[in-house]
Amino acid sequence: MEQQSAFERIYAVVRRIPAGKVASYGQVAGLAGNPRWARVVGYALHRNPDPGTIPCHRVVTRDGRMAPGFAFGGPEIQMQLLLAEGVGFEDGRVIMSEYQWQCNPEELH
C-alpha cells in the first residue's frame, strides 16, 4: 500500500465529517494518525486544494470556536456555513456536546 502524506491523511478524515457535525483540530489529528498534529491540521486546511469536497469549515477548536484564520472568508463565513448545515451555537461557539462528530476510527480504514 502506498504511504499517504500527512495532508492526504488529514483530508481523508475531513472528507468523512458529515454535514451538520464538526470535529476539533485535535480530533482530526488523532484520526489521521498522530494526536500531536493539531497545528498540521490547520496548515493542511489552510492549503485545502478542493474546498468543494474537503469541508474544512467543519473543523473547529476543541471548545467550538471558529478558526481565526479560516482560509475561505474568515470566521464569520465559517459560522454561516455551519449554521446553514444546522449546527447549533451558544455564545458564538458550536455546542460541541451536541454537534461534535463521533467517529469510530475503524470506520476510516
Side-chain angles (χ1 to χ4, degrees):
M1 184 172 114
E2 186 178 313
Q3 185 74 18
Q4 285 185 309
S5 77
F7 280 20
E8 289 167 336
R9 290 162 57 187
I10 289 164
Y11 296 146
V13 171
V14 174
R15 280 187 190 98
R16 301 291 300 271
I17 305 169
K21 294 291 181 181
V22 298
S24 71
Y25 288 92
Q27 180 183 4
V28 170
L31 291 168
N34 188 331
R36 300 178 76 166
W37 279 352
R39 284 184 189 253
V40 177
V41 171
Y43 299 141
L45 296 182
H46 194 73
R47 295 179 176 268
N48 185 346
D50 190 4
T53 62
I54 303 169
C56 60
H57 66 281
R58 296 182 187 144
V59 181
V60 298
T61 65
R62 68 175 173 250
D63 62 355
R65 287 180 289 128
M66 302 300 96
F70 182 64
F72 303 98
E76 298 80 16
I77 299 299
Q78 183 180 14
M79 182 182 279
Q80 288 174 11
L81 291 167
L82 292 172
L83 284 167
E85 292 183 352
V87 173
F89 287 78
E90 187 172 286
D91 298 324
R93 296 179 183 193
V94 172
I95 304 167
M96 295 299 279
S97 60
E98 191 171 338
Y99 295 97
Q100 186 169 15
W101 178 42
Q102 300 303 314
C103 176
N104 179 340
E106 267 85 71
E107 292 176 29
L108 299 174
H109 303 288

